[in-house]
Amino acid sequence: MLRACLRGANATARKNYRRIPLTSLQQCRHYTAGESSSASKVVVAGLLTVSGGIGGTVLYAKWDHKFRAAVEKNVPYSDWLLGLALGPAAQDPGLPIKKRVELAQPPSMIEKQAKKSAKKEGAEGPVKDSSPAPSQPAQSLEEASAEATHIISAIGEVPSVPAPCDTEAAAVKECNECHEHKEATAVHPAPTEPMKERPVEEVAARLAQQEQEEQDISASVSASLEDSLASSAKATLQAIGAQEAALQAIMQHTDKLKEAMEAEVLPEEKSNQWKDLEAALADRTTALNDARAALSKANESLDSLRSVIDESKGLKISSVRPLVLAAEENLHNMVVDLDKMVMKVQSAESEAKIVSQYSELVNEAKRQFQREVSSLTPEIQANWKGLTGKLSTDDLNALIAHAHRRIDQLNRELAEQKIREKIHIDAALEQQKLEDQKALDNAVNTALQHVKEDARLDQERKLAELREVMEAEMRTQLRRQAAAHTDHVQDVLKVQEHELKAEAEQVLSSKMLEQETRYRQLTQEQLDNFTLDMNTAYARLKGVEEAIDSHVVAEDEARKAHQLWLSVEALSYSLKTAEADVPTVPLENAAQAVRDSCRDNDFALALASALPEKSLQRGVYSEASLRARFNSLRSLARRVALIDESRNSLYQYFLSYLQAALLFEKSQEAPPSQLSSEDLDPFKLLSYASYCLEHGDLELAAKLVNQLRGEARRVVEDWLIEARLTLETRQVVNLLSAYANAVGLGTTQAP
Amino acid sequence: MFSMSEKELGKKWDRCLADGAIKLGTGLGLGIVFSVLFFKRHTWPISLGSGAGLGMAYANCQNNLRSHYMLHRGDKVGLSMEKID
């Protein structure tokens, strides 16, 4: 904005300037007008220059900040101007904001950790995997590997990094397997940080714990197995026994039935027989029931045993396996025996059924006959054999006819039967075949099952054997590896032992050295301290001696000082012997006395010898005499004030005398502290000097008089010399007296 | 006795006056003598002689008074070369 104004001003100025020459051309003839036009020219030129300078300064300030700062500093109000023109000065750019270092991403391990911790729910127990065992061998191998790694990590310093990796891999695999089951993973060695090596004790503890748990479990499993085995064995035996008993009962019963059917015995015995039969039947039924109950019990126990076996199989502990195997075998055997017995019982039962059918048929026939007989002879009831005497011949004939008829009928039936025999036999054969087939199938099935079971058991046995073999081999390998490891470890330990020994020896030697040096240092210190103490004591003793000596010396000094003082006093007194116009006595004697009294004092000696010769020989004038002399000198000096080496003709003398006659100055004037050039006028100097003399300042008066030049100086030369002499002598004497006083003060001891 | 420089001027003036008086008188006398003897009692030798005597006395006095400041032919002047550092 200002620049615009400036430019405008410049433009107008230039316009004006352009206008002005036209007018100036017209007016240039006029002297005064020409002058004004030139003046305006000058003004305009000046304005232009100034504005150009300002504009240039502003531009440059805009471009160069340092220049701007310098200008603002040096030229007042320029900062306001520049602020108006350019805006406020740009500040220094602040320190570049440092990029914050981004935190590293959480390592993948932590993520893995999180995953693992998420995976690892529930018991971090022993090597127990509650997942179903799809492939036992693989898992057993994994377990074996895990155990092996445990052993390795337990033994030595081999880092358990591979172990966790293996087990973690296994864990991952198994986790993938059992992911849908959502069960805890298998071996999880590291708690939170994966690659951290577990301490040996922890591993051992864990292994021990695992072993303990295994043992416990196996013990419990074996116990349960044994229990269930025992119970099932008992039950099975019971069942078998019961079956046997049933069998026996059945056989007995059939035998008895057969006997009863076929044997023709006496009626009493027959009734006994029938009773026995009934008893046998009852026995058989009870025995069958018992057998059935026992069988069911045995089946129950067998089932429980099977379930226990399955459970323990599900535990997947190797130590349990032979037990399981044995239990399974037992189970199988029991099942086989039971089945056999059952089959026997069944066959006996079927036999008995046949026999009972036969017996039923026979009974049926008998009954029928009985009925027929009774129908024929209604009076005669059962037990007709006993009625031989009672029967009439009609009855007998009827009976015989009936018997003949019956025989005929029976013969006819027999013939029919004989005809139908084949068919019946075929049918029976067919039926028998069917039944046989069925039985055979059953038998085959059972046999097949048994065989399968046997095979399975064999396989399992073989598997167990193989496993044992593998385990043994694995153990040998591990042992070998362990042996190698122990060898290596031994070697390493040996080497380390050497190293450590060397190190320890070094450390020991260095420590010993240190201790020795410290010991020596301490002894040295003690010695030094002792010597120091001795030295201090000696020094003190010396000091005391010196003090005593110095006392003597001091007293001597005091005496000398006193003498000096006395002599100096004499000298200063002799100074006062000056009278008007007569100098003092020659100071030689007094000076000599002084010199005598300060023979060994260089300062006083120097001072004493600094007395000027003239004073010694002739004496000095007093101040009063000098003053008087000055007064007479003054008029003379006034009179020759104009005479110096350039003006020394008689005419000058005349003029000088005239000046002295005509010039009046103050007789006494206080001299200023600093003489200026106009004070060097002789008259003034003389008045200053007389003032000083009146006030007793001979020194200043002498200094002032020393400023005279020319003839006046020549006139006062002698006075000046005398004054100097007096001053010198007085100064020396003052110094000496001061010195003597000081020495005297110094030597006197304050109370 | 003790040298008193202030008395010197007085002494000089004394000498001046004495010398002036002598020279004036001598000049006057000689002038009179010459005027009587050789110059037919003109007054000019008297004034000449007295003037000459006075002049000589003046010159003597002046010379006497100046004598301290004048360098004599036999004097040796020492030049000191000051080192300008």
Side-chain angles (χ1 to χ4, degrees), chain A residues 49 120 167 187 222 362 502 573 615 654:
Chain A
T49 323
K120 173 193 152 191
T167 51
V187 182
S222 64
V362 167
Y573 186 73
S615 70
F654 168 67

Side-chain angles (χ1 to χ4, degrees), chain A residues 156-173:
Chain A
E157 296 127 14
V158 174
S160 64
V161 169
C165 278
D166 282 347
T167 51
E168 275 178 14
V172 164
K173 253 202 289 176

Side-chain angles (χ1 to χ4, degrees), chain A residues 281-509:
Chain A
L281 182 66
D283 277 338
R284 176 190 154 178
T285 46
T286 49
L288 270 174
N289 287 338
D290 283 340
R292 216 169 286 128
L295 182 67
S296 64
K297 252 197 265 173
N299 277 336
E300 268 179 32
S301 66
L302 282 172
D303 282 336
S304 71
L305 176 64
R306 204 174 284 127
S307 67
V308 164
I309 285 171
D310 285 336
E311 252 185 51
S312 50
K313 256 197 258 173
L315 292 178
K316 287 184 78 176
I317 298 172
S318 56
S319 56
V320 166
R321 229 168 265 125
L323 290 168
V324 164
L325 215 57
E328 272 186 350
E329 279 186 0
N330 283 337
L331 174 72
H332 175 65
N333 289 340
M334 283 193 278
V335 163
V336 163
D337 289 337
L338 210 59
D339 284 341
K340 268 195 229 157
M341 285 309 302
V342 164
M343 257 197 313
K344 268 195 216 158
V345 164
Q346 274 179 351
S347 63
E349 267 190 353
S350 62
E351 255 193 57
K353 211 193 292 179
I354 292 169
V355 171
S356 69
Q357 271 182 352
Y358 170 65
S359 74
E360 269 184 33
L361 270 172
V362 167
N363 282 339
E364 184 71 38
K366 270 196 189 154
R367 257 183 281 162
Q368 210 172 349
F369 185 63
Q370 187 92 19
R371 258 187 265 123
E372 285 177 6
V373 168
S374 63
S375 70
L376 283 170
T377 56
E379 309 101 36
I380 304 162
Q381 296 303 321
N383 215 4
W384 55 276
K385 279 197 182 156
L387 300 166
T388 45
K390 298 172 195 171
L391 287 171
S392 63
T393 45
D394 287 334
D395 289 329
L396 280 169
N397 287 339
L399 211 66
I400 290 166
H402 177 74
H404 276 300
R405 249 186 278 128
R406 188 82 178 142
I407 287 165
D408 284 335
Q409 194 198 2
L410 283 172
N411 283 338
R412 256 185 273 129
E413 274 185 9
L414 193 64
E416 258 183 60
Q417 281 297 340
K418 271 190 188 154
I419 293 162
R420 288 199 194 130
E421 192 183 321
K422 202 164 181 294
I423 299 164
H424 281 307
I425 280 171
D426 285 337
L429 266 173
E430 284 290 329
Q431 207 182 4
Q432 192 65 32
K433 249 191 231 165
L434 282 168
E435 280 186 7
D436 276 343
Q437 193 69 35
K438 246 190 271 169
L440 185 71
D441 285 338
N442 280 343
V444 161
N445 281 338
T446 46
L448 196 69
Q449 269 182 11
H450 290 157
V451 164
K452 268 194 204 158
E453 196 72 23
D454 269 337
R456 195 179 63 82
L457 287 172
D458 267 339
Q459 194 187 23
E460 288 213 349
R461 219 178 297 124
K462 280 201 188 107
L463 226 81
E465 278 173 24
L466 192 68
R467 205 177 288 128
E468 272 179 32
V469 164
M470 300 298 273
E471 282 237 5
E473 196 164 320
M474 170 75 70
R475 256 192 225 107
T476 48
Q477 294 294 340
L478 282 173
R479 235 178 276 126
R480 219 180 278 164
Q481 193 172 13
H485 184 73
T486 44
D487 281 341
H488 169 70
V489 161
Q490 262 181 7
D491 288 338
V492 165
L493 277 173
K494 253 189 230 147
V495 165
Q496 266 195 359
E497 191 190 323
H498 278 296
E499 278 179 19
L500 284 171
K501 213 187 270 182
E503 211 181 291
E505 280 197 9
Q506 201 185 13
V507 164
L508 177 71
S509 63

Side-chain angles (χ1 to χ4, degrees), chain A residues 618 648 657 714-715 718, chain B residues 2-3 5 8 13 66 68:
Chain A
R618 192 204 63 182
N648 48 20
Y657 271 83
R714 278 186 59 218
V715 155
D718 273 340
Chain B
F2 308 102
S3 61
S5 53
E8 209 177 293
W13 280 123
R66 261 189 198 176
H68 179 77

Side-chain angles (χ1 to χ4, degrees), chain A residues 3-16:
Chain A
R3 263 190 291 169
C5 297
L6 283 171
R7 264 190 249 122
N10 279 345
T12 48
R14 272 191 222 107
K15 276 194 224 146
N16 291 338

